[in-house]
Amino acid sequence: MDWEIVIGLEVHVQLNTLSKAFCSCKTTYGAPPNTQTCPVCLGYPGALPVLNRELVTSAVKAGLATHCKIRKRSGFARKNYFYPDLPKGYQISQYDDPICYDGYIEVPTESGNKKIGLIRIHMEEDAGKSMHGMDGTLIDLNRCGIPLLEIVSRPDIRSPQEAYSYLTTLKQLIRYIGISDCNMEEGSLRCDANLSVMPRGSNKFGTRTELKNMNSFRGVEKALTYEAKRQIEVLESGGTVVQETLLWNEQSQTAEPMRSKEESHDYRYFPEPDLVDVQLTDTMIDDIKKSMPELPGERLQRFIRQYKLSEEDGLVLTSERDIADYFEEAVHDFPDTALMNHWVRGEILRILKEKQLPIDQSPISPGRLKELLTYLIQKKITPQTAKTVLDAMAETGETAGKIIEKKGLMSISSLDELDSLIRDILQKHPAELEKYRQGKTQLFGFFMGQVMKATKGRADQKVTRQILDKYLNT
Ligand SMILES: [Zn+2]
């Protein structure tokens, strides 16, 4: 039987606001345990929450970037459950009136771009963290009350690869609008997945299971692949899929049952009595819209148009906002966009990868790259030398001009100088010269190589070629 996989994803994004969702505690990652807490986020009786405006702004930004409708009036609700890292005994969340709803994102798939629907984006607060160690379990409540967005997709995803692509696109969007770093290792992006299978062509979804505890996008893809296979095997052997929550085990690459899935009525949601509804006006939404940067899709199209880039080049250069910003700063007032694309895409990204640095910490600034490439287009240095200079710039932090001067790297294009150098080389290699004259013309490359070796790559290629041609072919 041919099966169709149906996947929906719930993504939690930790926002990078300076203070928490409902109190003024700091949100710095990695602070000593329990140093960023107060009566509000510790759930002391009588302590009252105050809404952080930035949480609302970030939620609206996320909604606008994902074609969601923005609800002008939305409220908070208490989601009640007990857990040691939740001192209040409930989480402040949103229930039936999420701030953003009914959107979509466009995701690249093997068969072109596909729209994956979003049911909702809502605001909520994070719980604390239990740390299970050798001496028992310790609680860090620094994370209590850190603002989150929960982004819930429609069950529109049809394969683990599409899920991977959805997550990558969503992360890129969120990073572009600057509301989170989406660092999965530090827990600022977490993903749960729902998966079911049904006979292909059916319109009745099968029983779904929920997968938790996946620590990377590849982990999500693997867990979904595993779970789809498991459900198909259960159904093909005549069994039924049980609705339950499974924990992905990265080490054994298997999913283990955690508990039977709770329903939303188990949480006894009710309106949060300590907070008034959030009310937005058109002006507020417009102001937020105006403050948003160009989104990756639009920027890609503009890059292709404005800088005459291939789609492939454009995708690399707009993959992150900081890379796109770097390129635009470097190419501003620079005459050769193709050359700049070549160097940013190739050399700068290579150096950053080697040094494991993000581009905003690049040892070579856009201005300095521009200076180096100006020497190149003015033919003051050869392409070969330019690479050497770039590497030296990355190591020493010095400017191209300084390195070229200090190491004497200006290109040699003087006819006289190269002419005597080449005559010298020909004299030193009589055997090769003889063979060349007998018809082994591929030795031209050998002589070019000797000239480059003697000049440490500084000989102007075109002039060298002309002189060699004169002596070898006439
Ligand atoms: Zn607090």
Side-chain angles (χ1 to χ4, degrees):
M1 196 175 219
D2 192 13
W3 296 92
E4 190 163 2
I5 302 170
V6 178
I7 297 164
L9 296 177
E10 270 179 34
V11 172
H12 282 94
V13 175
Q14 209 176 60
L15 299 175
N16 56 10
T17 56
L18 293 175
S19 56
K20 292 188 181 179
F22 304 109
C23 61
S24 55
C25 287
K26 282 207 173 86
T27 54
T28 317
Y29 180 80
N34 301 305
T35 54
Q36 298 181 155
T37 57
C38 74
V40 174
C41 52
L42 292 177
Y44 281 23
L48 291 173
V50 178
L51 175 60
N52 182 344
R53 191 189 178 96
E54 275 304 303
L55 165 55
V56 179
T57 307
S58 300
V60 173
K61 280 183 183 169
L64 292 172
T66 53
H67 309 95
C68 279
K69 297 187 176 104
I70 311 294
R71 200 183 300 273
K72 292 222 181 105
R73 183 177 183 132
S74 70
F76 289 98
R78 287 190 182 178
K79 180 182 182 183
N80 299 283
Y81 65 96
F82 172 78
Y83 207 74
D85 60 19
L86 188 71
K88 288 206 295 274
Y90 61 85
Q91 228 179 332
I92 302 178
S93 181
Q94 293 195 285
Y95 186 46
D96 49 14
D97 55 356
I99 186 159
C100 312
Y101 60 103
D102 207 8
Y104 68 87
I105 61 175
E106 257 184 82
V107 173
T109 70
E110 275 180 4
S111 46
N113 276 10
K114 175 176 170 179
K115 280 184 187 172
I116 308 280
L118 297 187
I119 298 174
R120 57 190 278 155
I121 299 177
H122 71 246
M123 304 179 279
E124 63 182 25
E125 59 175 339
D126 212 342
K129 214 183 207 164
S130 304
M131 295 182 291
H132 310 285
M134 298 281 278
D135 307 323
T137 296
L138 297 169
I139 303 282
D140 178 7
L141 297 176
N142 281 351
R143 208 174 69 179
C144 265
I146 290 199
L148 298 177
L149 293 182
E150 182 174 323
I151 303 170
V152 185
S153 88
R154 293 193 185 283
D156 288 347
I157 300 166
R158 286 292 174 271
S159 70
Q161 294 72 37
E162 262 181 47
Y164 179 86
S165 187
Y166 168 86
L167 288 171
T168 311
T169 309
L170 184 64
K171 176 178 170 177
Q172 186 198 30
L173 264 179
I174 300 284
R175 284 177 56 92
Y176 252 76
I177 57 174
I179 60 171
S180 170
D181 61 15
C182 294
N183 185 334
M184 224 169 169
E185 278 150 35
E186 293 180 1
S188 51
L189 189 148
R190 283 164 261 159
C191 173
D192 299 334
N194 288 303
L195 182 144
S196 65
V197 298
M198 62 183 180
R200 191 168 298 282
S202 164
N203 51 16
K204 194 170 173 288
F205 290 167
T207 305
R208 65 197 167 113
T209 53
E210 188 180 15
L211 284 154
K212 285 184 178 290
N213 200 38
M214 296 156 298
N215 298 320
S216 64
F217 290 177
R218 286 291 173 212
V220 173
E221 193 181 347
K222 276 188 208 153
L224 289 168
T225 305
Y226 169 90
E227 178 56 11
K229 189 165 169 269
R230 188 192 70 85
Q231 287 191 13
I232 290 168
E233 279 169 10
V234 167
L235 293 171
E236 288 189 340
S237 64
T240 47
V241 174
V242 180
Q243 183 172 344
E244 61 187 344
T245 299
L246 304 163
L247 279 186
W248 176 245
N249 185 328
E250 185 66 40
Q251 251 135 31
S252 66
Q253 300 277 301
T254 53
E256 295 147 7
M258 180 171 89
R259 55 165 191 252
S260 62
K261 167 81 180 141
E262 62 287 296
E263 297 286 338
S264 66
H265 60 246
D266 295 328
Y267 289 117
R268 286 291 181 265
Y269 279 97
F270 67 86
E272 165 62 60
D274 290 338
L275 287 165
V276 294
D277 284 353
V278 175
Q279 291 195 58
L280 297 166
T281 61
D282 286 329
T283 320
M284 286 161 89
I285 298 172
D286 275 350
D287 285 347
I288 295 172
K289 201 181 274 178
K290 278 182 209 142
S291 76
M292 284 177 48
E294 192 178 23
L295 297 176
E298 302 158 17
R299 203 164 190 182
L300 169 64
Q301 292 314 316
R302 180 170 64 78
F303 268 36
I304 292 173
R305 245 187 358 255
Q306 185 175 343
Y307 302 118
K308 313 261 179 299
L309 298 176
S310 69
E311 182 166 7
E312 197 201 331
D313 287 335
L315 279 170
V316 174
L317 292 179
T318 58
S319 61
E320 280 183 43
R321 188 173 152 193
D322 287 340
I323 296 177
D325 287 348
Y326 184 101
F327 175 74
E328 291 219 278
E329 197 181 327
V331 87
H332 181 71
D333 279 343
F334 187 76
D336 191 341
T337 53
L339 184 75
M340 187 57 81
N341 163 46
H342 181 77
W343 280 74
V344 173
R345 234 205 102 163
E347 297 304 317
I348 295 294
L349 295 185
R350 170 185 64 83
I351 287 171
L352 293 172
K353 198 172 169 191
E354 280 168 11
K355 294 189 176 291
Q356 298 191 318
L357 285 174
I359 197 159
D360 61 340
Q361 288 169 35
S362 169
I364 298 156
S365 68
R368 290 203 169 174
L369 177 64
K370 199 187 318 199
E371 184 202 339
L372 169 69
L373 297 187
T374 305
Y375 280 107
L376 181 61
I377 51 179
Q378 290 173 347
K379 295 209 181 326
K380 288 182 181 160
I381 53 172
T382 63
Q384 216 171 344
T385 308
K387 283 199 180 157
T388 318
V389 176
L390 188 80
D391 283 333
M393 286 166 75
E395 289 316 316
T396 62
E398 287 179 327
T399 62
K402 198 153 206 178
I403 293 166
I404 292 166
E405 193 197 305
K406 208 161 71 181
K407 297 193 173 173
L409 295 174
M410 285 286 186
S411 65
I412 307 167
S413 55
S414 138
L415 268 174
D416 290 346
E417 199 176 335
L418 283 175
D419 196 274
S420 73
L421 194 128
I422 287 168
R423 265 185 294 157
D424 209 37
I425 286 172
L426 293 176
Q427 249 168 26
K428 278 184 191 152
H429 296 92
E432 286 82 1
L433 188 59
E434 188 53 35
K435 277 186 201 152
Y436 186 91
R437 295 220 159 106
Q438 282 165 8
K440 210 171 169 201
T441 52
Q442 58 267 49
L443 279 171
F444 197 92
F446 166 79
F447 290 111
M448 279 297 285
Q450 290 301 314
V451 177
M452 288 304 159
K453 200 172 146 193
T455 59
K456 295 196 175 71
R458 288 158 56 226
D460 183 283
Q461 294 226 5
K462 208 171 140 200
V463 180
T464 306
R465 220 170 263 282
Q466 275 168 6
I467 302 172
L468 271 176
D469 191 52
K470 181 179 81 184
Y471 285 121
L472 292 172
N473 299 332
T474 51

Coordinates of all heavy atoms in Angstrom, one line a residue, residues 4-49:
E4 N 0.6 8.1 2.7 CA 1.0 9.5 2.7 C 1.2 10.0 4.2 O 0.5 9.6 5.1 CB -0.2 10.3 2.1 CG 0.1 11.7 1.9 CD -0.9 12.4 1.0 OE1 -1.9 11.8 0.5 OE2 -0.7 13.6 0.7
I5 N 2.3 10.7 4.3 CA 2.7 11.1 5.7 C 2.1 12.6 5.9 O 2.2 13.4 5.0 CB 4.2 11.2 5.8 CG1 4.8 9.8 5.5 CG2 4.7 11.7 7.2 CD1 6.3 9.8 5.4
V6 N 1.6 12.8 7.1 CA 1.0 14.1 7.4 C 1.7 14.6 8.7 O 1.7 14.0 9.7 CB -0.5 14.0 7.7 CG1 -1.1 15.3 8.0 CG2 -1.3 13.4 6.4
I7 N 2.3 15.8 8.5 CA 3.1 16.3 9.6 C 2.6 17.8 10.0 O 2.4 18.6 9.1 CB 4.6 16.4 9.3 CG1 5.1 14.9 9.0 CG2 5.4 17.1 10.4 CD1 6.4 14.9 8.3
G8 N 2.5 18.1 11.2 CA 2.3 19.4 11.7 C 3.4 19.7 12.7 O 3.8 18.9 13.5
L9 N 3.9 21.0 12.7 CA 5.0 21.3 13.6 C 4.6 22.4 14.6 O 3.9 23.4 14.2 CB 6.2 21.7 12.9 CG 6.9 20.7 12.0 CD1 8.1 21.3 11.3 CD2 7.4 19.5 12.8
E10 N 5.0 22.3 15.8 CA 4.8 23.3 16.8 C 6.2 23.8 17.2 O 7.0 23.1 17.7 CB 4.2 22.8 18.1 CG 2.7 22.8 18.1 CD 2.2 22.1 19.4 OE1 2.9 22.3 20.5 OE2 1.2 21.5 19.3
V11 N 6.5 25.1 16.9 CA 7.8 25.6 17.2 C 7.7 26.7 18.3 O 6.9 27.5 18.3 CB 8.4 26.2 15.9 CG1 9.7 27.0 16.2 CG2 8.6 25.2 14.9
H12 N 8.6 26.5 19.3 CA 8.7 27.5 20.3 C 9.9 28.4 20.1 O 11.0 27.8 20.0 CB 8.8 26.9 21.7 CG 7.5 26.4 22.2 ND1 7.1 25.1 22.1 CD2 6.5 27.0 22.9 CE1 5.9 25.0 22.6 NE2 5.5 26.1 23.2
V13 N 9.8 29.7 20.0 CA 10.9 30.6 19.8 C 11.0 31.4 21.0 O 10.1 32.1 21.4 CB 10.6 31.4 18.5 CG1 11.8 32.5 18.4 CG2 10.5 30.6 17.3
Q14 N 12.2 31.4 21.6 CA 12.5 32.3 22.7 C 12.9 33.6 22.2 O 13.8 33.7 21.4 CB 13.7 31.7 23.5 CG 13.6 32.0 25.0 CD 14.8 31.2 25.7 OE1 15.9 31.5 25.4 NE2 14.4 30.4 26.6
L15 N 12.2 34.7 22.7 CA 12.5 36.0 22.1 C 13.7 36.6 22.8 O 14.0 36.3 24.0 CB 11.2 36.9 22.3 CG 10.0 36.4 21.6 CD1 8.8 37.2 21.9 CD2 10.2 36.3 20.1
N16 N 14.3 37.6 22.1 CA 15.6 38.2 22.7 C 15.3 39.5 23.3 O 16.1 40.4 23.3 CB 16.6 38.3 21.6 CG 16.1 39.1 20.4 OD1 15.0 39.7 20.4 ND2 16.9 39.2 19.3
T17 N 14.1 39.7 24.0 CA 13.8 40.9 24.7 C 14.8 41.0 25.9 O 15.3 40.0 26.3 CB 12.4 40.9 25.3 OG1 12.3 39.7 26.1 CG2 11.4 40.8 24.2
L18 N 15.1 42.2 26.3 CA 16.1 42.4 27.4 C 15.5 41.9 28.7 O 16.2 41.5 29.6 CB 16.5 43.9 27.5 CG 17.3 44.4 26.3 CD1 17.5 45.9 26.4 CD2 18.6 43.6 26.2
S19 N 14.2 42.1 28.9 CA 13.6 41.7 30.2 C 12.5 40.6 29.9 O 12.1 40.4 28.8 CB 13.0 42.9 30.9 OG 12.1 43.5 30.1
K20 N 12.0 40.0 31.0 CA 11.1 38.9 30.8 C 9.7 39.3 30.4 O 9.4 40.5 30.3 CB 11.0 38.1 32.2 CG 12.3 37.4 32.5 CD 12.1 36.5 33.7 CE 13.5 35.8 34.1 NZ 13.3 34.9 35.3
A21 N 8.8 38.4 30.2 CA 7.5 38.7 29.6 C 6.6 39.5 30.6 O 5.9 40.4 30.1 CB 6.8 37.4 29.2
F22 N 6.7 39.2 31.9 CA 5.7 39.9 32.8 C 6.4 40.5 34.0 O 5.8 40.8 35.0 CB 4.7 38.9 33.2 CG 3.9 38.3 32.1 CD1 4.1 37.0 31.7 CD2 3.1 39.1 31.3 CE1 3.5 36.4 30.6 CE2 2.4 38.5 30.2 CZ 2.6 37.2 29.9
C23 N 7.8 40.6 34.0 CA 8.5 41.3 35.1 C 9.7 41.9 34.5 O 10.0 41.7 33.3 CB 8.8 40.3 36.2 SG 9.9 39.0 35.7
S24 N 10.5 42.6 35.3 CA 11.7 43.3 34.7 C 13.0 42.5 34.9 O 14.1 43.1 34.7 CB 11.8 44.7 35.2 OG 11.8 44.6 36.7
C25 N 12.9 41.3 35.2 CA 14.1 40.5 35.4 C 14.8 40.4 34.0 O 14.2 40.3 33.0 CB 13.8 39.0 35.8 SG 13.3 39.0 37.5
K26 N 16.2 40.3 34.1 CA 17.0 40.1 32.9 C 16.8 38.7 32.3 O 16.4 37.8 32.9 CB 18.5 40.3 33.3 CG 18.9 41.8 33.5 CD 20.4 41.9 33.1 CE 20.8 43.3 33.1 NZ 21.2 43.8 34.5
T27 N 17.2 38.6 31.0 CA 17.0 37.4 30.3 C 18.4 36.8 29.8 O 18.4 35.9 28.9 CB 16.1 37.6 29.1 OG1 16.7 38.6 28.3 CG2 14.7 38.0 29.4
T28 N 19.5 37.3 30.3 CA 20.8 36.9 29.8 C 21.0 35.4 29.9 O 20.8 34.8 30.9 CB 21.9 37.6 30.7 OG1 21.5 38.9 30.9 CG2 23.3 37.5 30.0
Y29 N 21.4 34.8 28.8 CA 21.6 33.4 28.7 C 22.9 33.0 29.5 O 23.9 33.7 29.4 CB 21.7 32.9 27.3 CG 22.0 31.4 27.2 CD1 20.9 30.5 27.3 CD2 23.2 30.9 27.0 CE1 21.1 29.2 27.3 CE2 23.4 29.5 27.0 CZ 22.4 28.7 27.1 OH 22.6 27.3 27.1
G30 N 22.9 31.9 30.2 CA 24.1 31.5 30.9 C 24.4 32.1 32.2 O 25.5 31.9 32.8
A31 N 23.5 33.0 32.7 CA 23.8 33.6 34.0 C 23.7 32.5 35.1 O 23.1 31.5 34.9 CB 22.7 34.6 34.3
P32 N 24.4 32.7 36.3 CA 24.4 31.7 37.3 C 22.9 31.4 37.7 O 22.1 32.3 37.7 CB 25.1 32.4 38.5 CG 26.0 33.4 37.8 CD 25.2 33.9 36.6
P33 N 22.6 30.1 38.0 CA 21.3 29.7 38.3 C 20.6 30.6 39.4 O 21.2 31.0 40.4 CB 21.4 28.3 38.8 CG 22.7 27.8 38.2 CD 23.6 29.0 38.1
N34 N 19.3 30.8 39.1 CA 18.4 31.5 40.1 C 18.9 32.9 40.4 O 18.6 33.4 41.5 CB 18.2 30.7 41.3 CG 17.6 29.3 41.0 OD1 16.6 29.3 40.3 ND2 18.3 28.3 41.3
T35 N 19.7 33.6 39.5 CA 20.1 35.0 39.8 C 19.2 36.0 39.1 O 19.3 37.2 39.3 CB 21.6 35.2 39.4 OG1 21.7 34.8 38.0 CG2 22.5 34.4 40.3
Q36 N 18.4 35.5 38.2 CA 17.5 36.4 37.4 C 16.1 36.1 37.7 O 15.3 35.7 36.8 CB 17.9 36.3 35.9 CG 19.3 36.7 35.7 CD 19.8 36.7 34.2 OE1 20.7 37.3 33.8 NE2 19.1 35.8 33.4
T37 N 15.7 36.3 39.0 CA 14.3 36.0 39.4 C 13.8 37.1 40.3 O 14.6 37.9 40.8 CB 14.3 34.7 40.2 OG1 15.2 34.8 41.3 CG2 14.7 33.5 39.3
C38 N 12.5 37.1 40.5 CA 11.8 38.1 41.4 C 10.5 37.5 41.8 O 10.1 36.4 41.3 CB 11.6 39.4 40.6 SG 10.3 39.3 39.4
P39 N 9.8 38.1 42.7 CA 8.5 37.6 43.2 C 7.6 37.2 42.1 O 6.8 36.3 42.2 CB 8.0 38.7 44.1 CG 9.2 39.3 44.7 CD 10.2 39.3 43.5
V40 N 7.6 38.0 41.0 CA 6.6 37.8 39.9 C 6.9 36.4 39.2 O 6.0 35.5 39.1 CB 6.5 38.9 38.9 CG1 5.7 38.5 37.7 CG2 6.1 40.2 39.5
C41 N 8.2 36.3 38.8 CA 8.5 35.0 38.0 C 8.7 33.8 38.9 O 8.7 32.7 38.5 CB 9.6 35.2 37.0 SG 11.1 35.9 37.7
L42 N 8.8 34.1 40.2 CA 8.9 32.9 41.2 C 7.5 32.5 41.6 O 7.3 31.6 42.4 CB 9.8 33.3 42.4 CG 11.2 33.4 42.0 CD1 12.0 33.9 43.3 CD2 11.8 32.2 41.5
G43 N 6.5 33.3 41.2 CA 5.1 32.9 41.5 C 4.7 33.2 43.0 O 3.9 32.4 43.5
Y44 N 5.3 34.2 43.6 CA 4.9 34.5 45.0 C 3.4 34.9 45.0 O 3.0 35.7 44.1 CB 5.8 35.6 45.6 CG 7.1 35.2 46.0 CD1 7.7 34.1 45.5 CD2 7.8 36.0 47.0 CE1 9.0 33.7 46.0 CE2 9.1 35.6 47.4 CZ 9.7 34.5 46.9 OH 10.9 34.1 47.3
P45 N 2.7 34.5 46.0 CA 1.3 34.9 46.1 C 1.2 36.5 46.2 O 2.0 37.1 46.8 CB 0.8 34.3 47.5 CG 1.8 33.3 47.8 CD 3.1 33.7 47.2
G46 N 0.3 37.0 45.4 CA 0.0 38.4 45.4 C 0.9 39.2 44.4 O 0.6 40.4 44.2
A47 N 2.0 38.6 43.9 CA 2.8 39.4 42.9 C 2.1 39.5 41.6 O 1.5 38.5 41.1 CB 4.1 38.6 42.7
L48 N 2.1 40.7 41.0 CA 1.3 40.9 39.8 C 2.1 41.0 38.5 O 3.1 41.7 38.5 CB 0.4 42.1 40.0 CG -0.7 42.0 41.0 CD1 -1.4 43.3 41.2 CD2 -1.7 40.9 40.6
P49 N 1.7 40.4 37.5 CA 2.5 40.5 36.2 C 2.2 41.8 35.5 O 1.1 42.4 35.6 CB 1.9 39.3 35.4 CG 0.5 39.2 35.9 CD 0.5 39.5 37.3

